[in-house]
Amino acid sequence: MENKRDLFSFSALKVVTINWLSEVWMIFWILVKIMIPILLVVRVIEVLGWIQQLGELIEPVMGIVGLPGETGLVWMASMVGNIYAGMAVFYQLGLAGELTVAQVSILGTLILLAHGLPVEVIIARATGVSVWFTLLLRVGGALLLGVLLHLTYSSFDLLQMPSPILWQPEIASTTWFDWLVTQAQTLVIAFFIIAGLTLLIRILRFIGVEKVIHALLSPVLRALGIGVKAVNIMIVGLTLGLSFGGGLLIKEARSGQIEPKDIFLTMAFLSLSHSLIEDTLLIMLLGADVSAVLWARLAFTLLVAVLLARFANYLSESKQRWFYRAPN
């Protein structure tokens, strides 16, 4: 009798494990199909030197937010590449210790709201949100918040002391081989993160904690006009971000259990505030103040999300397709 029970337990465990690994691979493969082509395009742009040219084009824009023109290259490197690329350019230009805390905070906010656009915009598109809207929201939102922070800091003479040098990275190699190794390592890390998170979600669901998390977040989502079924998307985005969490976000969006409008509002929120722990700490290493890169960013995101929820209610079905549609 015990042998049969042990055999049944082993068979059940085997089925659960196979289902879990199948889910992990499906999510990972979705992410790989998006990331690899985009990363190759970004690499070519870097090699051709187009990032520097684009950075020079936006130099005049940086004055609007109270920043020197050369910071445009830092922001462009972040937008086309990622936060690490922007940080590397920041130190290569010798900006560490040259800007005030207010200026670094503004620059850091621009980076946090608009970085990794080639990958993250395509991920948002895969969830059903239009490319033009995501770009407008992230770049336009970054500039708007940057202007508001600049006016606040300059009007009240806040954070005008020189920024501290908290970290000095080594200049990374730029060879194709080292780049390929770095990307391979990133994908391997992404696989294990996906595996760990999906396993955690299954465990939380089994012991009933997932229902508690949903209950805690549901009032916030309702206040933002978002259905409670979007909780998992929100949790993944806030913790992992759009790149590492992209496969899970797309899977949840394609599940058919979440209304397109809720996906739109959730992804709009996450476009402005995601990976709250890691990304915020990275920017603070540049000397930015937490008041801007976390609290002001969250307050701005909440305000934009509420306004978008009200706006979405007045859209006809035909006009909704300009902004979002059910993912394929």
Side-chain angles (χ1 to χ4, degrees):
M1 186 70 176
E2 290 185 3
N3 289 337
K4 288 184 179 180
R5 189 174 302 167
D6 291 341
L7 182 62
F8 176 77
S9 300
F10 176 77
S11 300
L13 180 61
K14 182 179 178 181
V15 170
V16 169
T17 303
I18 291 174
N19 290 338
W20 167 58
L21 291 176
S22 298
E23 180 186 20
V24 171
W25 178 253
M26 179 189 69
I27 295 170
F28 177 71
W29 186 240
I30 290 173
L31 188 61
V32 166
K33 287 190 294 184
I34 290 175
M35 289 187 69
I36 289 182
I38 298 298
L39 290 173
L40 286 171
V41 171
V42 170
R43 176 60 179 172
V44 171
I45 291 174
E46 290 175 348
V47 171
L48 294 176
W50 291 357
I51 292 179
Q52 184 170 352
Q53 295 177 26
L54 291 170
E56 292 171 355
L57 286 176
I58 67 169
E59 280 187 3
V61 178
M62 306 311 289
I64 299 174
V65 293
L67 295 176
E70 58 264 34
T71 56
L73 181 56
V74 178
W75 191 25
M76 184 57 66
S78 301
M79 285 194 285
V80 176
N82 52 39
I83 291 178
Y84 293 100
M87 294 175 71
V89 174
F90 179 86
Y91 285 103
Q92 287 172 353
L93 293 177
L95 295 175
E98 296 297 319
L99 303 178
T100 65
V101 174
Q103 288 177 314
V104 176
S105 299
I106 294 169
L107 177 60
T109 302
L110 296 179
I111 293 171
L112 286 170
L113 266 67
H115 63 265
L117 296 183
V119 172
E120 295 186 356
V121 168
I122 296 303
I123 287 174
R125 180 177 179 273
T127 66
V129 182
S130 70
V131 169
W132 76 265
F133 171 78
T134 303
L135 286 172
L136 178 63
L137 176 66
R138 297 191 65 170
V139 178
L143 288 172
L144 177 57
L145 181 54
V147 169
L148 293 174
L149 288 172
H150 171 52
L151 292 175
T152 301
Y153 291 146
S154 59
S155 299
F156 296 97
D157 197 32
L158 299 173
L159 304 179
Q160 299 304 311
M161 71 288 289
S163 64
I165 301 176
L166 301 177
W167 179 58
Q168 185 71 48
E170 296 181 4
I171 303 302
S173 172
T174 57
T175 66
W176 271 97
F177 176 77
D178 290 329
W179 179 84
L180 288 170
V181 170
T182 300
Q183 304 313 313
Q185 290 173 340
T186 300
L187 290 175
V188 170
I189 292 171
F191 178 85
F192 283 105
I193 288 176
I194 291 169
L197 186 62
T198 52
L199 180 60
L200 178 61
I201 290 173
R202 284 170 176 259
I203 293 173
L204 293 178
R205 186 177 297 144
F206 178 77
I207 63 179
V209 174
E210 186 186 43
K211 292 181 179 179
V212 176
I213 296 174
H214 281 229
L216 292 174
L217 281 179
S218 59
V220 178
L221 294 182
R222 279 198 299 267
L224 296 175
I226 302 173
V228 294
K229 291 183 179 179
V231 167
N232 284 344
I233 293 183
M234 187 69 79
I235 292 172
V236 170
L238 290 176
T239 53
L240 289 184
L242 300 184
S243 293
F244 280 159
L248 280 164
L249 295 174
I250 295 168
K251 174 182 174 290
E252 288 288 334
R254 290 178 176 176
S255 66
Q257 299 179 4
I258 308 173
E259 293 294 325
K261 177 190 168 186
D262 292 338
I263 295 172
F264 166 71
L265 294 174
T266 305
M267 291 304 297
F269 184 99
L270 294 177
S271 291
L272 299 177
S273 289
H274 57 263
S275 189
L276 290 183
I277 298 174
E278 180 186 358
D279 288 0
T280 302
L281 291 176
L282 283 174
I283 296 302
M284 289 180 68
L285 285 176
L286 297 179
D289 190 80
V290 69
S291 64
V293 296
L294 180 60
W295 303 121
R297 177 166 56 121
L298 275 175
F300 180 77
T301 301
L302 288 167
L303 176 60
V304 170
V306 170
L307 292 175
L308 283 175
R310 303 297 178 267
F311 171 73
N313 288 334
Y314 293 100
L315 287 177
S316 64
E317 187 172 343
S318 60
K319 290 182 179 179
Q320 287 175 5
R321 294 180 173 272
W322 296 354
F323 299 90
Y324 60 93
R325 60 184 64 193
N328 297 324

